[in-house]
Amino acid sequence: MTDIAKLPVTIITGFLGSGKTTLISQLMQNPQGKRLAVVVNEFGDVGVDGEILKGCAIPDCPAENIMELANGCICCTVADDFIPTIEALMALEPRPDHILIETSGLALPKPLLKAFDWPDIRSKITVDGVIALADAEAVAAGRFAPNVAAVDAQRAADDSIDHETPLSEVFEDQISCADIVLLTKPDLAGPEGVEKAKEIIAAEAPRPLPVVEVPEGRVDPRVILGLGAAAEDDMDARPSHHDGVPEHDHDDFEQIVVPLPEVEDPAQLVARIEELAKSQNILRVKGYAAVAGKPMRLLVQAVGARVRHQYDRPWKPNEPRLGQLVVIAEHDDIDTMAITSVLVPEGSPAL
């Protein structure tokens, strides 16, 4: 790449738990000879995704090429966080060949696109493409409204009824902004679910979009890198619910961090998280736990009542064996005391 060539950036967006971190991990392991850099923007104070990716670091994407922004949506903190981070990555020696940006699951991609029009960076970088990940099972189940059947019936009876929810707007804006959609976890959805998900995506897309099934985050990098979309120059083709709105925020969503004492059995913690999703309408849980008698830290990732966990690394010699879980939900569903009582039931060891 010559000095006058623009550095390509790929924005990877998608609903909560759709598999963005898994995809980037796979790209890091198979970079096709490109030297990658990664920006991770998390919603929450516990840097789960960034630490996972740093654990996957390889010579073509070393740990110093992975930067986290955990104190707000990057499209809301452009001058303070986003621009300095991009400039720092461009100043690395050797310079990255390609930057990947993993947005928060709550982020709207179009405001982030607008950030690439800032004079300080516009002549130096270009948005190679916007990749939207969609969880096939969740999309097929219509989890972007509290009761899809009831909403459809109300809309049929009265077109003036506002049937949108914050989750549906996030999903639709991500699809509308995308150059390609990756349909993740197709095995959980099954053939019928995959087809239904594709129909929903096609109905929401403002233009025909390629939809690629991606099991376990595996996709040939040539499919999603090198698109040459120059998305920052193509704003009008990417409509958003928030077009014409000067600013946006994420007040519809809230997160809390729950400290966890040591747990006796991971299955007990999984059961608590499943109960939380059902009783409190929690969207996302992610973080770490300490398991009694185990030298390894337990990584926990949950989307609704679907919980995955694995031991990711040993506890460090002087590191407190204290777990932490980030819990994310719509604002009205966050009840700190109720959530804590489920995750840390009465009689648990004192913190």
Side-chain angles (χ1 to χ4, degrees):
M1 181 169 57
T2 66
D3 290 339
I4 62 172
K6 288 187 176 183
L7 181 63
V9 175
T10 294
I11 296 174
I12 299 175
T13 186
F15 196 66
L16 292 165
S18 60
K20 299 185 297 295
T21 303
T22 300
L23 173 68
I24 293 176
S25 298
Q26 296 286 348
L27 290 173
M28 288 169 59
Q29 296 299 315
N30 183 24
Q32 299 280 304
K34 296 180 183 293
R35 185 174 180 84
L36 301 178
V38 180
V39 178
V40 182
N41 183 215
E42 296 200 62
F43 188 86
D45 299 324
V46 180
V48 178
D49 297 346
E51 198 157 335
I52 293 172
L53 293 176
K54 287 178 181 178
C56 301
I58 60 172
D60 281 332
C61 188
E64 59 267 25
N65 283 30
I66 302 169
M67 295 193 177
E68 292 179 81
L69 297 175
N71 51 334
C73 167
I74 47 181
C75 51
C76 303
T77 58
V78 173
D80 293 335
D81 293 320
F82 176 63
I83 299 297
T85 298
I86 293 296
E87 290 179 330
L89 290 176
M90 290 192 297
L92 288 172
E93 290 293 342
R95 186 187 185 195
D97 299 313
H98 204 114
I99 296 175
L100 308 176
I101 298 179
E102 177 190 342
T103 71
S104 155
L106 304 176
L108 304 175
K110 190 166 182 179
L112 176 55
L113 271 184
K114 293 178 180 178
F116 287 86
D117 200 35
W118 275 56
D120 289 349
I121 61 172
R122 178 168 175 77
S123 64
K124 303 172 185 175
I125 59 177
T126 182
V127 181
D128 181 67
V130 179
I131 313 301
L133 274 66
D135 182 310
E137 184 184 36
V139 174
R143 294 179 191 156
F144 310 112
N147 185 327
V148 175
V151 166
D152 287 344
Q154 288 176 327
R155 183 168 63 175
D158 185 351
D159 290 338
S160 68
I161 290 179
D162 179 11
H163 64 281
E164 296 293 343
T165 70
L167 298 184
S168 68
E169 289 190 5
V170 171
F171 172 72
E172 291 165 13
D173 276 19
Q174 289 171 348
I175 296 299
S176 294
C177 201
D179 294 291
I180 186 170
V181 178
L182 302 185
L183 202 57
T184 61
K185 306 168 191 172
D187 53 317
L188 297 179
E192 291 185 5
V194 167
E195 288 307 310
K196 185 174 181 181
K198 288 181 178 179
E199 290 174 4
I200 292 172
I201 290 168
E204 299 296 349
R207 58 196 182 285
L209 288 177
V211 178
V212 180
E213 295 177 42
V214 181
E216 300 298 328
R218 293 190 299 269
V219 63
D220 189 323
R222 293 173 296 181
V223 174
I224 59 175
L225 301 183
L227 299 182
E232 71 276 14
D233 295 327
D234 190 30
M235 295 286 193
D236 291 343
R238 304 166 193 267
S240 164
H241 286 281
H242 297 78
D243 284 342
V245 178
E247 296 180 357
H248 76 283
D249 56 43
H250 302 301
D251 290 343
D252 294 313
F253 303 97
E254 191 172 338
Q255 60 89 19
I256 62 171
V257 179
V258 179
L260 289 182
E262 279 194 343
V263 300
E264 293 295 325
D265 183 354
Q268 296 173 354
L269 180 58
V270 169
R272 292 173 199 158
I273 295 172
E274 291 173 342
E275 178 187 345
L276 192 67
K278 296 170 184 175
S279 64
Q280 309 270 345
N281 199 29
I282 299 303
L283 300 172
R284 187 86 161 91
V285 176
K286 59 182 180 178
Y288 308 104
V291 180
K294 299 292 185 182
M296 301 282 285
R297 190 179 67 172
L298 188 73
L299 171 67
V300 180
Q301 298 262 25
V303 183
R306 193 168 73 217
V307 186
R308 294 186 177 187
H309 59 89
Q310 67 186 62
Y311 293 102
D312 70 328
R313 67 164 174 82
W315 289 95
K316 298 174 183 177
N318 298 320
E319 186 177 16
R321 288 177 59 90
L322 174 67
Q324 284 189 312
L325 294 180
V326 176
V327 180
I328 303 172
E330 293 190 48
H331 179 79
D332 292 343
D333 292 319
I334 287 287
D335 182 329
T336 301
M337 291 185 63
I339 292 169
T340 302
S341 68
V342 173
L343 292 177
V344 188
E346 189 175 351
S348 297
L351 295 172

